[in-house]
Structure formats: structure tokens, C-alpha cells
Amino acid sequence: MINDRKIIFSAIQPSGQLTIGNYFGALKNWKMMQDTEDADCIFAVADLHAITVRQTPAEFRQRILQTYAILLSIGIDPKKSPCFIQSHVKEHSELAWMLNCYTQFGELGRMTQFKEKSQTHADNVNAGLFTYPTLMAADILLYQTDFVPVGADQKQHLELSRTIAERFNGIYGDVFTVPEPYIPKLCARVMSLQDPTKKMSKSDANVNSWVAMLDKPEDIVRKFKRAVTDSDMKVCVGEGKDGINNLISIYSAATGLTAEQIERDFEGKGYGDFKLAVGEAVAESLRPIREKFDDLMKNKDYLESCYKAGAETASRIAFRTVSKVSKKIGFIK
Ligand code: TRP
């Protein structure tokens, strides 16, 4: 991968079940970038990031593997795009430590996610939660990444990665590529089906508010049938129509139809018909993913061969960066 092609890097945490918000909002876009961008994509399951909260070992192990299998199920081709498990590439921890020493306490303290999480997890505000953004910077900078597709909630972290890279380059010369955010062409912000003013979240206690990527088709359809709408009765985008706006955007993500086409197709039809159509379209678009996932989970040897090969390729690149950084800092080889 030493050439002039741009590098795109992204990672996802193996925390809990992935939802259609993760799929339509991020993962579907990963596949699109792999297939259409003139760039090399590198993807990781960010298991090191996930231990800022306590994990049950057996469950955690299972979830890391499942998250990895989902990436392959949505069409990430490990031969084309190195896809690995973060903790398998030791350089992530190594560079994260070094970058900690080039990151200010005040900068980390200003991170919105840290401030929020230290309130919601007040009983476990550990140092890892605080330095989480430097680990994320290491993930990105190790691969001399040009573009990082990130959602709104990770933008501030990416901004800090840029600051750290620029600071380091300022002291030692050009060591790191300074990464830029990648703004996806198609990307849906999926809201809760029960309270469409809130982002869909797998930690929502009401299971009807979110749809997992691996939910059974009949459960998906049922959840959409129960989705909250409004009293206006018209399938069209509009102010105060958060529920319908959300359903239109999900239907559009699942079918590729534009909002205008959808409005036309459902003119004169009721919400019942529309909700059923959305549910069925989502179930249909997830069906091949679920089938592939079930196959892959029966084939652990294959999965292992993929994540090992991914880690090997990633390690080669990561090793080069860490060697360069070590030399600049003055460590003895
Ligand atoms: N912090 C990201 C999240 O929670 C996941 C992540 C870890 C990531 N390392 C990354 C995303 C590097 C982009 C680039 O969503």
C-alpha cells in the first residue's frame, strides 16, 4: 500500500448490538467507500476503546467476533480493505502513550463526550475514559490516514487528532498526515422509532424504539408498525413530522429512492401502509447481511484467518509509523 492513493480509516466499537442507525448512518457508507472511492480503506473493531466501561469477558469476546463478522457481512472485503481487531496491532497502545505526552490535560477535559460520559458513568471515571481521544488519534495517525468518516459525535475527537498531528509535525517535521473528516454522500441520521426527536440508541430501555441489524424480519416489521407518527396523515417531509421524516429517511436509505419519489408513491395512502412498506424494505435489505452473518459465525476458522491477515497488513504499516515516531522522539533503536 505504498503509493499515492489516499487512505481512509475508520473503526467501530464492539459495544452491544449494532442497530440500523449504525448501518444506515455509517457501515453502509464504509462499503460504498471501499467500492467507489479511489482510496485504500482500512477498518478496525475498536476493542481497546470498549474497555473504558466494564465488560463481561465471555460476552465481550463474543461481541468482538460478532462485530468483526458484521463488517464482513455488509460487504467489507478483507482482501481489498485490511480489516482487523485493534488490540491485535500493539502499535495502537504504543503510539497512544506517546501521543498522550503531546496532548494537553485541558484539551482532553474539554471533550464533550468525556464530560457527558463522566456524568453518566460517575462511578467509573477512569483515566482511559479521559485519554480515549488520544487512542483514537493513534488509530488514525498510525495509518497516515487522509480521510476519516465520522458522525457528529466523533467530530471533536477528529479535530483533536488533527491538533495533535500538527503539534507533533511542528516539533519534528512532517511525520503524520493530518486527517480530514470525510463527509459521506449518502448518510442517514436514524432516530428512535418511539421518540423521533432522539437518536436511535441500543441503550434505550424501550426495545421498540430501536432495530438491531440482526433482528428477525418479523420483529423488524412489528417495530416499524408501532413507530410513532403524527396526526397529519400525509406521507411527506415536513416540520413537526419527526416520526414521518425519520421513516422517509430510513426508507430512502433502504431502497435508494429519493424523498420526492417516496412522497409520490405514497400519495393518498395511509401511515399504516407506509410503515409496513418501510418495515419490509428494511427487513429485506438486512436479510442478506443476516444470512451471511449466520454463515460466518459457523466458520470461525475463516473469520480467524481474515482478522489475522488484516492485523498483519495493518501491523506492517503501523510499525513503520511507530519506528519513525520513535526515531524522531529520540528512542534508541
Ligand atoms: N470512537 C469511535 C466511536 O465510538 C470509534 C473509533 C475508534 C474510531 N477509533 C476510531 C472512529 C478511529 C474513527 C477513527 O464511534
Side-chain angles (χ1 to χ4, degrees), residues 1 9-12 30 34 41-45 67-86 88-89 303-314:
M1 264 207 291
F9 178 91
S10 201
I12 185 160
W30 289 15
Q34 166 191 268
C41 298
I42 305 176
F43 299 119
V45 174
T67 306
Y68 189 83
I70 288 226
L71 296 186
L72 301 198
S73 309
I74 61 157
I76 299 302
D77 174 359
K79 294 218 165 62
K80 206 169 163 190
S81 316
C83 190
F84 65 98
I85 296 169
Q86 187 187 27
H88 291 178
V89 179
L303 281 176
E304 186 180 329
S305 71
C306 293
Y307 61 67
K308 277 192 167 162
E312 250 170 60
T313 309

Side-chain angles (χ1 to χ4, degrees), residues 9-13 46 49 132 136 139-140 148-150 153-154:
F9 178 91
S10 201
I12 185 160
Q13 283 201 49
H49 276 94
Y132 180 111
M136 186 162 154
D139 298 343
I140 296 167
V148 185
V150 280
D153 60 328
Q154 297 298 314

Side-chain angles (χ1 to χ4, degrees), residues 52-247:
T52 56
V53 292
R54 214 51 80 229
Q55 304 283 353
T56 310
E59 268 172 35
F60 189 40
R61 204 169 290 126
Q62 180 73 358
R63 230 167 317 103
I64 296 167
L65 193 66
Q66 286 177 343
T67 306
Y68 189 83
I70 288 226
L71 296 186
L72 301 198
S73 309
I74 61 157
I76 299 302
D77 174 359
K79 294 218 165 62
K80 206 169 163 190
S81 316
C83 190
F84 65 98
I85 296 169
Q86 187 187 27
S87 65
H88 291 178
V89 179
K90 306 297 177 212
E91 283 81 0
H92 288 257
S93 309
E94 205 179 346
L95 184 63
W97 168 256
M98 299 181 198
L99 296 182
N100 270 332
C101 303
Y102 296 84
T103 308
Q104 296 305 306
F105 187 87
E107 288 171 325
L108 292 172
R110 281 195 290 279
M111 293 293 115
T112 316
Q113 192 172 67
F114 172 71
K115 288 194 264 188
E116 278 169 14
K117 290 211 170 151
S118 42
Q119 274 171 3
T120 45
H121 303 279
D123 55 334
N124 185 17
V125 185
N126 58 70
L129 192 65
F130 188 63
T131 59
Y132 180 111
T134 54
L135 177 59
M136 186 162 154
D139 298 343
I140 296 167
L141 302 182
L142 272 178
Y143 301 98
Q144 304 295 350
T145 303
D146 296 284
F147 295 106
V148 185
V150 280
D153 60 328
Q154 297 298 314
K155 247 182 130 194
Q156 199 185 23
H157 291 161
L158 180 60
E159 204 45 58
L160 183 61
S161 304
R162 288 171 55 86
T163 304
I164 299 171
E166 280 164 354
R167 178 172 300 143
F168 199 92
N169 288 350
I171 306 171
Y172 301 103
D174 273 348
V175 177
F176 295 122
T177 302
V178 181
E180 306 212 11
Y182 177 102
I183 312 296
K185 290 187 190 79
L186 76 162
C187 209
R189 188 173 145 82
V190 178
M191 311 303 278
S192 156
L193 298 184
Q194 294 297 314
D195 176 359
T197 59
K198 285 197 321 209
K199 201 174 146 185
M200 181 179 284
S201 164
K202 62 202 160 208
S203 44
D204 197 318
N206 184 346
V207 293
N208 287 321
S209 74
W210 56 279
V211 174
M213 286 179 70
L214 300 171
D215 270 350
K216 292 197 202 71
E218 57 271 30
D219 293 332
I220 298 176
V221 171
R222 180 177 41 81
K223 287 180 187 180
F224 276 100
K225 274 189 190 158
R226 294 192 186 164
V228 166
T229 50
D230 53 63
S231 52
D232 177 48
M233 305 288 273
K234 248 178 93 182
V235 180
C236 64
V237 179
E239 217 171 300
K241 292 172 67 77
D242 298 315
I244 288 295
N245 294 346
N246 186 37
L247 293 178

